[in-house]
Amino acid sequence: MDLLEAYRRSLAEFVDRVDQVGPGQWSDPTPCPDWDVRALVNHVVGEDRWSVPLLAGRTVDEVGGRFAGDQLGADPATMAREAAAQAEIAATHPGARARTVHLPAGDTPAEEYLQQLLAEHLVHGWDVAVAIGAEPRLDPDVVRMCARWFAGRVDDYRRNDLVGTGPWMSTDDEQDRLLAAFGRDPDWTPGG
């Protein structure tokens, strides 16, 4: 599968999960202990908004703090849809994938940045799904692509405290192993 297609699917799955959030579920807990559903969705929408100028070649300093704070307003699902659509356009713009992206952690090839964004949408889409009781199964092709990419980066992510250590998984389920690699318990439930 092509990276751009996998990225598009991860965006679509995330937005689909956000569309399923009920009015009373925005303050529900998620597998990310510091974030309820709204804060988690706001985080991803902020990342989508950031990706547009970064994929266009802007630096973090040039972007400034314009995407800090609440990105969801009174209609979080619409804001998530709009941000994902803009992010997809930025990623598919001619030449975008060949650029160097100026991230806070340093200059990064755009294709590596898209892999990071793909993982962000995939894993946080699962977070939203289990938080609201929606179907948590992810696109298996996207999971496979993300797992191959993340296998070479998990130690760096842990060393930089970007992910925790999930439970040891002795399962053939690739999604469960990926979630555990990202510090998630695949059996997480809101009340558990």
Side-chain angles (χ1 to χ4, degrees), residues 8-192:
R8 285 178 168 141
R9 288 186 190 185
S10 73
L11 285 170
E13 277 195 336
F14 180 79
V15 169
D16 180 58
R17 298 299 180 3
V18 173
D19 280 340
Q20 296 176 53
V21 177
Q25 294 180 305
W26 290 102
S27 61
D28 286 358
T30 71
C32 300
D34 296 333
W35 289 339
D36 62 13
V37 172
R38 185 180 175 92
L40 187 145
V41 171
N42 189 67
H43 163 75
V44 176
V45 169
E47 291 290 329
D48 285 342
R49 296 212 186 279
W50 266 97
S51 73
V52 174
L54 293 178
L55 285 168
R58 303 290 183 271
T59 67
V60 172
D61 288 339
E62 289 172 329
V63 177
R66 68 177 127 170
F67 302 120
D70 180 43
Q71 297 294 308
L72 303 181
D75 190 353
T78 297
M79 294 298 101
R81 239 183 337 278
E82 288 176 3
Q86 292 167 0
E88 182 177 347
I89 290 167
T92 58
H93 191 271
R97 290 174 60 183
R99 282 202 167 94
T100 296
V101 180
H102 309 290
L103 300 176
D107 286 354
T108 304
E111 292 221 347
E112 173 67 17
Y113 181 48
L114 286 174
Q115 288 277 15
Q116 294 171 14
L117 292 171
L118 179 153
E120 182 93 0
H121 289 91
L122 192 68
V123 174
H124 285 319
W126 178 85
D127 291 335
V128 171
V130 296
I132 65 169
E135 171 56 50
R137 292 309 301 176
L138 302 167
D139 182 313
D141 294 328
V142 180
V143 166
R144 192 169 305 108
M145 178 179 245
C146 186
R148 279 195 308 267
W149 166 79
F150 196 59
R153 287 153 184 85
V154 67
D155 290 337
D156 290 337
Y157 271 61
R158 286 187 182 143
R159 200 173 16 262
N160 292 310
D161 291 324
L162 298 173
V163 297
T165 303
W168 182 78
M169 301 301 300
S170 66
T171 177
D172 290 333
D173 188 294
E174 196 163 24
Q175 176 174 312
D176 286 353
R177 286 194 319 269
L178 178 67
L179 293 168
F182 272 94
R184 304 302 196 271
D185 178 352
D187 295 325
W188 186 91
T189 60

